[in-house]
Amino acid sequence: MVGVPRSTGCATCVSRRIKCDEGRPTCQKCAKSGRQCPGYSRELQFRNKTMTVVSNRQRAVIISSRSTASPTDSSTSSSSSVDVRRDSAVVTTPPEPAVNSLQMPRTEQLQLMAALIDGFAPPSAEPKQGPSMIREWLSFVYYRIGSMTPLDLAMRSVACMQFGLRNKDTRSINISRTYYGGALQTLRKALVTPTTGQPELQSTVMLLTFYELMSNRKEDEWIRHSGGSVEMMRMRGPRAYANRKSFDYSMYLVCRYSIVMEAFYKRKACFLDDPAWNELAHDPDSEEGDIRESMFRIHVQIPGLIRNAQRTATGQYDASELVKKTIELRTAVKRLYDEWIPALKASNNMPIEIPGEDELFPMVYYFNNLAVHGFMSQHCSTIIQLNSVLIQCGLPGKEEYIQECREQAEQLCRYVHFAQGRVLGSILLHAWLITAKRYADEKYQDWITAKQAAIQR
């Protein structure tokens, strides 16, 4: 729970219980009494919901630099405040402040991180077979809280944004921007000499990407902010992620889908389709996991297929070879999906139909967990994308492929209800709606546009 002092006066006037003139940069009351005015920044107070008493002492939010090499090493520099005005959505951040730890006990940081994990991947949303990827990665992050300033600030920025969006709390959203600015500043410094803490730095970049996805989910806005994790993963290479029980591997599992999405948007082949990276997409420990990884090995090839389909129009690529490969992948996707359904039924994880809230879709789907929802939504999206390649190549039977795209688009629309209001669900939902809109029936177009607009708000 986030608390912010209500008074807009300086901390000294508030503690003396006198009216502050709120002069800038310092108030005249402090100047006349010979006191040093501490300014108008406010300290965030993270506390348990059951707590009703909060200290009246107001302190400025001070951020200072701390070494990223070790949790125990530290360096001092001049402090600088970050001003969050309660009557304005504008957050004023100095160009390059010296950034220090935000006087928050480690216990409270861990509580905040636990709330963040449950917000992104509630325990009830974990699949009955196999771990939740996002939850496993954030659990690794949990045990590194306090080890690196950029990671701490990135965690707090996402947690406050999550809280603010869920509760329509503008103040929490403004606070998240302050943390976000501090995370960016300290991250830039840490990346100058990243001799240690590579997993922590990459997790920081990933959290900041999530922040951007949550705060501004326009069609292509997030692409600019996902490039950091893409380049970091590419530079580190597949060997850094080879240990399947490591922090790094958990990051690979979470990050890879955004990497493929970025390749789709930029109309380029995805580097994860290279043989060395493809070796990671295999889980020998579980049958369900192997099906999931096999689907991913197909999914990661599609951005390259779409790029090559565009090149066939100018004679730069052999259309017959592209059609052959696309048909093979389409057949494999359907076979894997058919193999997965019996396991889904056996574990009672098949989605069920429930009454919907829209006239266009009187019946929608409810899922036991987000993992199954994501897998089935991705299947619909993959079929649409593969069919679009065949349609573009002018393969005979074009109308049949278009009709299947329409059916899959309608199915995606019926999956929307479950994902709405869920952090990760809403992030992925926008990408799926873009895919659905391309081939959905005319009667669904306005409905999809309205859902996209609702996500972006």
Side-chain angles (χ1 to χ4, degrees):
M1 184 173 172
V2 184
V4 181
R6 295 182 179 179
S7 174
T8 57
C10 76
T12 300
C13 289
V14 171
S15 64
R16 295 176 64 201
R17 298 178 181 273
I18 61 175
K19 182 174 178 58
C20 181
D21 62 29
E22 299 186 34
R24 306 283 171 168
T26 61
C27 78
Q28 292 303 306
K29 291 289 180 69
C30 288
K32 289 179 181 179
S33 62
R35 294 180 172 86
Q36 182 177 359
C37 183
Y40 305 93
S41 299
R42 295 292 180 264
E43 181 184 34
L44 303 179
Q45 299 165 336
F46 293 90
R47 56 189 184 271
N48 189 290
K49 292 180 181 179
T50 59
M51 293 178 64
T52 56
V53 179
V54 180
S55 170
N56 287 326
R57 183 185 177 192
Q58 313 299 324
R59 294 190 299 266
V61 177
I62 303 296
I63 305 178
S64 71
S65 69
R66 181 170 61 184
S67 170
T68 59
S70 167
T72 57
D73 296 336
S74 63
S75 60
T76 59
S77 57
S78 60
S79 63
S80 177
S81 64
V82 180
D83 181 18
V84 182
R85 297 290 304 278
R86 67 186 293 268
D87 58 347
S88 171
V90 179
V91 178
T92 306
T93 307
E96 279 295 331
V99 185
N100 237 0
S101 168
L102 283 144
Q103 309 304 318
M104 182 186 291
R106 177 173 169 77
T107 300
E108 293 183 15
Q109 290 202 81
L110 294 177
Q111 289 174 342
L112 188 63
M113 186 66 207
L116 175 62
I117 293 173
D118 285 343
F120 269 79
S124 60
E126 289 186 285
K128 292 180 173 60
Q129 300 180 36
S132 167
M133 291 180 288
I134 187 75
R135 193 175 182 85
E136 184 170 326
W137 165 59
L138 289 174
S139 295
F140 275 110
V141 175
Y142 177 89
Y143 289 105
R144 284 160 176 80
I145 290 301
S147 67
M148 184 175 285
T149 299
L151 183 62
D152 290 358
L153 296 176
M155 177 272 294
R156 295 177 206 168
S157 70
V158 176
C160 287
M161 177 59 72
Q162 176 183 276
F163 178 89
L165 292 176
R166 185 170 61 238
N167 296 282
K168 295 181 171 55
D169 186 335
T170 303
R171 184 179 296 166
S172 294
I173 292 174
N174 289 343
I175 292 167
S176 76
R177 292 175 182 144
T178 305
Y179 283 135
Y180 175 73
L184 284 178
Q185 292 159 16
T186 54
L187 178 63
R188 281 197 295 267
K189 294 176 182 178
L191 288 174
V192 173
T193 54
T195 55
T196 60
Q198 288 282 3
E200 289 80 2
L201 289 175
Q202 186 174 347
S203 288
T204 300
V205 174
M206 290 168 65
L207 284 169
L208 294 178
T209 300
F210 277 127
Y211 178 91
E212 288 295 341
L213 284 164
M214 294 167 67
S215 63
N216 192 345
R217 286 170 286 207
K218 292 182 181 178
E219 181 170 332
D220 58 358
E221 183 72 14
W222 67 273
I223 300 175
R224 296 188 298 107
H225 304 280
S226 64
S229 55
V230 170
E231 279 307 306
M232 190 171 285
M233 183 172 282
R234 190 205 300 268
M235 289 174 61
R236 296 186 68 197
R239 292 182 62 183
Y241 306 90
N243 182 352
R244 297 180 181 279
K245 296 182 179 180
S246 68
F247 184 15
D248 291 293
Y249 186 71
S250 72
M251 282 193 296
Y252 156 77
L253 291 177
V254 174
C255 200
R256 64 183 184 173
Y257 289 100
S258 63
I259 291 175
V260 177
M261 287 170 65
E262 188 217 27
F264 272 120
Y265 279 102
K266 291 187 175 179
R267 297 292 189 269
K268 65 180 183 180
C270 182
F271 75 87
L272 293 179
D273 188 31
D274 293 340
W277 284 102
N278 252 321
E279 286 296 314
L280 295 178
H282 176 66
D283 185 355
D285 297 329
S286 101
E287 183 178 346
E288 185 217 4
D290 193 45
I291 290 177
R292 182 180 62 245
E293 297 305 302
S294 296
M295 288 288 279
F296 179 77
R297 288 197 294 273
I298 293 172
H299 179 60
V300 79
Q301 298 178 59
I302 298 177
L305 297 180
I306 293 175
R307 182 200 61 176
N308 290 336
Q310 295 172 334
R311 293 166 66 192
T312 59
T314 58
Q316 295 178 289
Y317 197 85
D318 183 358
S320 61
E321 184 65 28
L322 178 60
V323 166
K324 178 182 176 182
K325 183 175 183 180
T326 304
I327 290 176
E328 289 176 353
L329 293 178
R330 182 173 175 272
T331 302
V333 166
K334 293 185 174 240
R335 175 180 55 79
L336 288 167
Y337 185 79
D338 289 341
E339 290 176 4
W340 183 61
I341 291 299
L344 205 61
K345 291 179 177 177
S347 61
N348 294 320
N349 269 329
M350 280 292 289
I352 59 174
E353 286 190 308
I354 61 172
E357 299 174 353
D358 299 292
E359 291 184 9
L360 281 175
F361 301 102
M363 299 298 292
V364 296
Y365 285 103
Y366 178 81
F367 295 79
N368 283 343
N369 58 69
L370 272 172
V372 174
H373 173 273
F375 190 93
M376 298 190 82
S377 298
Q378 190 60 59
H379 171 74
C380 294
S381 180
T382 298
I383 292 296
I384 292 173
Q385 290 155 356
L386 289 172
N387 283 359
S388 71
V389 172
L390 298 176
I391 293 168
Q392 190 167 342
C393 289
L395 192 69
K398 175 180 177 180
E399 288 303 319
E400 178 185 339
Y401 295 120
I402 292 176
Q403 180 57 35
E404 186 176 40
C405 286
R406 288 174 180 158
E407 293 169 358
Q408 296 298 328
E410 181 177 344
Q411 198 79 334
L412 274 173
C413 291
R414 296 179 72 194
Y415 292 162
V416 165
H417 175 78
F418 179 78
Q420 289 181 131
R422 301 168 188 267
V423 178
L424 286 180
S426 294
I427 289 172
L428 294 170
L429 192 56
H430 188 58
W432 290 326
L433 284 173
I434 292 172
T435 303
K437 189 174 183 179
R438 185 175 179 185
Y439 284 100
D441 284 339
E442 184 65 30
K443 62 182 179 181
Y444 299 140
Q445 293 294 324
D446 289 343
W447 184 90
I448 293 174
T449 300
K451 289 297 180 184
Q452 288 175 314
I455 294 170
Q456 291 173 15
R457 283 199 291 269

